[in-house]
Every structure is written in structure tokens, then in C-alpha cells.
Amino acid sequence: MRLITSIADLQGFAHQTRAAGKSLALVPTMGALHAGHLSLVRQAKRQCDVVVVSIFVNPMQFGRGEDFSRYPRTREKDLELLGGYKVDATFAPSVAEMYPEGFETFVEPGELATALEGAARPGHFRGVLTVVLKLFNLVRPDAAYFGQKDFQQALLVRRLVEDLNLDMRLVISPTVREPDGLAVSSRNAYLSLEERAAALVLHRSLRQAEELVHTGETETRKLLDEMRKVFAVEPRAQLDYVAIVDTTKLQPVERVTAGCVALVAARVGTTRLIDNLIFGPPGASPETLLQLALSGRPVADARTRIPGLETDALRLKIEACRDCAAISFISLPPRQFLTKYLKRNYPDLNAVRVAVVGRDAPNRPENYLYENPAGSNHFVAGLYELVGVKDFAEFRTRFVLTDAIRCHALGLHVPEKALANCAKHLSEELKLFPNLDKLVVLGEDAYLQFQQFILERSPAAIKPFAGLLQSNGWAGEEVRLAALGERVVRVFYCYHPTFGYHRSPSIAAHLA
Ligand code: AMP
């Protein structure tokens, strides 16, 4: 491995490499190398022919009163490590080589550098981007390698490459951690044994937020509160900031979606540490999470459809009244869906006394309650009158609508078995609302399914719908519901056109 200390030699080395048609990687570091740096080196070795690692403790990125002078410098050990990794060249210049007399041109980052680390360390990113651009110009690498550990830095370097049209790839690698979760960092060397133990609080708070998200909590305010609580019980750590942000602008978000990032900075003793965590599907690999975060837009593939992270989407769907779509969207059993999400987001539903089952004519939007919430067709008007609400807004805060019977089974021809299965789900759902005294079943095909699969009546025992019809246009009867501990509940059925009763052979036969 070559040790290069002058700019001229580095340029010469890079020039020769390019002239030989070899691809060139740059891994910028401040030395005191650890497993995090080495993961970048490994990645660079895999992807490029020749690897240059720079070691430079850049004074320009340290503020007054920060740890520039005591920053760990372990050059011999670093060189040994890099030699072991068969790195081709290490560039370790002096400060005077990088910033000779008269140096006065800087890279001025924009908005992205104002929050978080930028706010806590004024001028830091100006220093980082200036040295990084200098290194990029010296090496002109095909690819440069950075760590997720310094997440904001990685985003800023990405902006630099984009904004200044640098012709190179940027590779960002997941944070390397100690077995107990502490993010590996050169600054960990400052920590006493007790502080080392206390420093785990950063990762613990991030994991706490992640766990909550995976169990369905997506409200940032609550997540941040919980993270702060984790810090509150660790007196050795002084929280600087916690934030949950999007990755396009690093702006705080109200609700977590896949690809959002939680960042923390804290002082443990005199050591300032940072860490971050990307939210995503449980079990997603660190690489997938990074991809999610760096794509900068919500990724709507199957892997991101996870409980918790999609409750935003879910809530929107519920509010747009595609509740069944929401249920199938998250592939959760309905009971779980109701307990975890619907009842959490709509706590009033605990007091629900009326459940509405089925939905009206999905293929006829004018009749479709949920597509047409303001619509005042006779059916909708009748329903509101029946349940005693003035409009859809009130309806949806007080009533649960479950599509169990018809919509958990999609397709025109729904096998009997699927209907029975849906009914089983519905029974489970009904148990969640023990106060229920009314049940509204929409549409007479749902009526038949309700009769057959919930009340377990044989086709012969099912009364013709018209026989139950009352003067208000609704059919009604008192029924004993097994799902509600054999309680007697008033069930209303409505009559309205559906699309031809092809859904189940027995229903088709019954209606023929
Ligand atoms: P530094 O020497 O602290 O300037 O870091 C040099 C590079 O290594 C930066 O791109 C960091 O983001 C990256 N890095 C530092 N710590 C880690 C870590 N624990 N895991 C992965 N990358 C890291």
C-alpha cells in the first residue's frame, strides 16, 4: 500500500490509475479506523479496482470548543489495518497541505445543512463539504463511500454531487454497530466504562421508537416522547436532539412512514455522539432500509406494506371509506386490524352500538356509500336516518363498517367456503363491540349471507327478504348472536340493487 501525503502525489497516483483503465474508489475518513470505516473499505474493494482511503482530521469541520485537538489519531494502527485490507493507497495529508496560506474558497451548503447537526454545529457541514469536494477533485473517483452513521452528512454529500454535477457514484453503507447496538465511532474511544454503558441509550431510544412503530404507533409526537423517556432514565446522557424526519428535506414529519429517519444526538460525559435509524418493515435488511430512505419517496411495494408504517395510508383509506380495501391492503386478520388500528385511530368506536355490515353495490358508484359520502340517494338517506346521524362525517366517527361478508372475498363468483370464512371473521369482529345493540346489514345479498353464515340458517329457514320489509324501507328482525354471547340484537337489512347475485351458488339459487 502506498502512503501518500502530498497533493501532487495523490493526483499523480489517481491519474495513473485512470490511465490504466482501472476504476477508482475513494473512502474519506478522519482516521482512528474502526469496523465502520472498514465496512466502507470492503464495499469499495468489491466494487472498484483501486481503493484510496483518505485520513484527514479536517479542522474546518470542527467548531470552536469542539474536540479537534484531542480527536483520536492512530496513524500507525490505521495504516496497518488498511494494509491488511489491501488498500492501494492511503492519503494522509497535513493541514498545511490541504489548506495552504491564502485558502479562502468554501462549499456553502443550503437548507439541508441548517437542521440537526447543522444547527448544533454551525459551520460543520461547510467544512465537511469543502474538504470532501477537494478530495473528490484530487482523486476524481468513480465512486465514493460514506456511512449511514452520519446520515445528514451523507445526504449533503449527495446534494453536493448532484448540485455541482460531479461525475461519480456515491455509495452509502449501513451503520456498523457493536454487538450491543452501540454505533461504532472513533469518538467511542473517549468513553469511560460507565459512559460506554450509558452511551447505549442512543440506540435504545431508537429501538424503542422502532418497536412502537412496528406495533402500530406512527404518531411522531408520541414516538419522540417515548424516546425522550428512554433518555430521562439515563442520567449520564444529556440529550441534544431527537427528531423524526423525511429524507428529502430532513423536515419533521407528523407520522412515520417507511423510509423516515429518527436521529439522535447526545452528550455522554464530554463526548458528543450521534446515531440514527430508518423506519421500515420489520425484518428488512439494513440495505433495504437505506434504499427506502435514500429513494426519498414513499415506496409502495409489498415489503413496505407493514402494520404501523402504513397506518397513514390506512387512515386515509379509512377516511376515504375504503375500509375493506384497507384491511386487505395490510393483510391483517380483521380482528387484529380492528383492535390495533381502527380502534386506536378511532377511539370513539369503543362505544359503538351499531355495526354496519357489507357495503352497497360497489359496481354502482352512485349507490356506493363510501365513494359518494355526500350523495343523498334513498339508500344513504335511509341509512343515516336509521342510525341517527346527519351525514357521513358523523357516521364514520360513530359506526364501524365492516365489509366482512362481501369484500373479504373478492371476485364475482365467491365460493361458499370463502363466504363462510368471511362470516367467521365477522363473528370475530362483532365480539370487539360488546355493547352492540343494532347491526345493519347492507344489501340483500349480504342479508342472505348473514342469514346463512352468521345465523347458520339453512336455505329453507331463511325468510324471503321482502317478508321482513318494514314501512321505512328497511327489513328488521331480532336475532340471537353467538358472537355476542347469545345476546339478542336488532338487525336491520336493507334492500338495494346489487350486481346480480353471482357471488355464491347458494345465494344465486335462493334468489332464482
Ligand atoms: P469519520 O472518520 O468519522 O469522518 O467517518 C468516515 C466515514 O465512515 C463516514 O462516511 C462515516 O459515515 C463512516 N462511518 C463512521 N462510523 C460508521 C459506522 N459505525 N458504520 C458505518 N459507517 C461509519
Side-chain angles (χ1 to χ4, degrees):
M1 180 186 68
R2 279 186 62 177
L3 171 62
I4 301 175
T5 55
S6 83
I7 280 175
D9 285 354
L10 179 62
Q11 283 174 318
F13 177 83
H15 181 78
Q16 276 171 12
T17 304
R18 275 192 302 275
K22 292 181 176 164
S23 61
L24 193 48
L26 172 66
V27 184
T29 81
M30 297 203 298
L33 299 183
H34 52 61
H37 298 120
L38 296 174
S39 76
L40 304 185
V41 170
R42 267 198 305 275
Q43 178 88 324
K45 288 285 298 179
R46 270 198 296 272
Q47 298 180 346
C48 294
D49 300 325
V50 172
V51 176
V52 176
V53 174
S54 64
I55 296 179
F56 180 58
V57 185
N58 174 32
M60 199 185 288
Q61 70 189 65
F62 288 79
R64 204 170 288 157
E66 289 188 359
D67 57 344
F68 173 68
S69 53
R70 72 164 180 145
Y71 195 84
R73 289 162 172 88
T74 57
R75 180 186 300 203
E76 290 316 308
K77 189 168 155 250
D78 290 352
L79 295 178
E80 206 175 298
L81 276 171
L82 295 176
Y85 274 80
K86 302 210 165 20
V87 163
D88 300 274
T90 298
F91 177 54
S94 65
V95 172
E97 183 72 6
M98 289 299 273
Y99 302 117
E101 272 290 308
F103 182 94
E104 62 170 15
T105 307
F106 302 88
V107 176
E108 199 61 61
E111 277 284 296
L112 205 53
T114 55
L116 309 168
E117 285 305 281
R121 307 180 66 188
H124 170 65
F125 287 125
R126 180 184 196 245
V128 169
L129 295 192
T130 301
V131 80
V132 163
L133 182 60
K134 278 170 73 76
L135 291 167
F136 286 174
N137 282 334
L138 292 174
V139 177
R140 289 171 46 206
D142 295 281
Y145 295 79
F146 289 82
Q148 178 197 331
K149 161 77 179 7
D150 299 276
F151 189 78
Q152 190 176 10
Q153 167 178 290
L155 288 190
L156 277 157
V157 173
R158 188 170 69 164
R159 270 255 72 87
L160 171 82
V161 169
E162 243 173 76
D163 290 350
L164 302 187
N165 308 108
L166 306 182
D167 187 15
M168 55 181 284
R169 273 185 311 125
L170 208 60
V171 180
I172 299 168
S173 298
T175 303
V176 174
R177 298 180 180 282
E178 302 281 3
D180 60 5
L182 181 69
V184 177
S185 160
S186 305
R187 290 190 168 97
N188 292 349
Y190 299 146
L191 302 170
S192 71
L193 222 61
E194 293 80 9
E195 289 169 346
R196 167 68 181 71
L200 281 175
V201 69
L202 280 86
H203 184 237
R204 210 164 39 236
S205 72
L206 293 166
R207 289 298 301 273
Q208 169 74 0
E210 183 182 52
E211 236 167 71
L212 288 168
V213 167
H214 287 166
T215 54
E217 182 55 77
T218 58
E219 209 179 313
T220 305
R221 191 179 48 81
K222 290 189 188 146
L223 296 169
L224 292 176
D225 278 351
E226 293 303 318
M227 291 176 77
R228 288 191 195 98
K229 278 187 202 158
V230 175
F231 271 91
V233 294
E234 181 48 80
R236 283 178 198 273
Q238 249 191 316
L239 185 60
D240 185 349
Y241 62 74
V242 275
I244 296 179
V245 298
D246 72 82
T247 52
T248 38
K249 302 227 149 124
L250 291 180
Q251 289 301 307
V253 291
E254 264 177 44
R255 276 182 184 272
V256 167
T257 51
C260 282
V261 182
L263 301 109
V264 290
R267 209 168 282 279
V268 181
T270 53
T271 307
R272 191 169 177 283
L273 299 172
I274 58 173
D275 201 352
N276 65 77
L277 179 142
I278 300 166
F279 294 109
S285 72
E287 289 76 15
T288 304
L289 293 174
L290 250 176
Q291 236 176 4
L292 264 173
L294 296 174
S295 71
R297 58 190 140 80
V299 181
D301 73 15
R303 282 169 311 171
T304 65
R305 288 179 186 174
I306 54 163
L309 286 187
E310 59 187 12
T311 49
D312 242 1
L314 200 57
R315 198 168 45 83
L316 291 174
K317 272 177 181 290
I318 292 168
E319 281 170 7
C321 276
R322 297 300 306 273
D323 57 344
C324 186
I327 293 175
S328 40
F329 181 67
I330 61 169
S331 341
L332 271 184
R335 185 188 169 86
Q336 217 177 327
F337 164 75
L338 284 172
T339 353
K340 272 196 168 164
Y341 302 107
L342 201 56
K343 287 183 89 173
R344 191 198 60 218
N345 289 334
Y346 297 87
D348 291 353
L349 288 180
N350 283 322
V352 73
R353 302 186 68 78
V354 181
V356 181
V357 179
R359 62 179 178 188
D360 50 320
N363 63 335
R364 300 194 45 175
E366 74 279 11
N367 272 346
Y368 185 21
L369 180 61
Y370 303 103
E371 296 251 286
N372 193 18
S376 60
N377 63 48
H378 71 278
F379 165 73
V380 170
L383 175 67
Y384 292 168
E385 193 185 307
L386 185 77
V387 298
V389 298
K390 65 175 187 313
D391 57 16
F392 187 72
E394 190 179 347
F395 173 87
R396 73 169 181 226
T397 60
R398 289 182 45 203
F399 302 111
V400 55
L401 185 135
T402 156
D403 269 340
I405 286 193
R406 277 194 273 167
C407 301
H408 290 167
L410 299 171
L412 207 56
H413 268 289
V414 180
E416 222 82 343
K417 210 168 132 194
L419 291 175
N421 204 26
C422 292
K424 205 174 94 214
H425 285 316
L426 176 62
S427 300
E428 291 293 300
E429 290 171 26
L430 293 177
K431 285 181 199 157
L432 294 171
F433 303 97
N435 296 329
L436 220 57
D437 58 17
K438 287 195 191 71
L439 196 62
V440 182
V441 177
L442 304 179
E444 72 273 46
D445 61 344
Y447 159 74
L448 284 170
Q449 291 164 39
F450 190 82
Q451 296 277 316
Q452 189 171 344
F453 295 106
I454 301 284
L455 303 178
E456 293 176 353
R457 291 178 176 155
S458 70
I462 298 175
K463 291 191 188 119
F465 180 82
L468 297 168
L469 211 60
Q470 299 168 356
S471 55
N472 63 0
W474 291 82
E477 62 174 342
E478 311 256 294
V479 298
R480 203 171 283 283
L481 279 186
L484 294 176
E486 295 301 329
R487 237 159 22 84
V488 173
V489 170
R490 181 102 190 131
V491 182
F492 292 95
Y493 310 100
C494 77
Y495 175 88
H496 70 98
T498 56
F499 58 109
Y501 312 109
H502 296 299
R503 301 185 68 89
S504 131
S506 73
I507 286 168
H510 194 87
L511 290 165

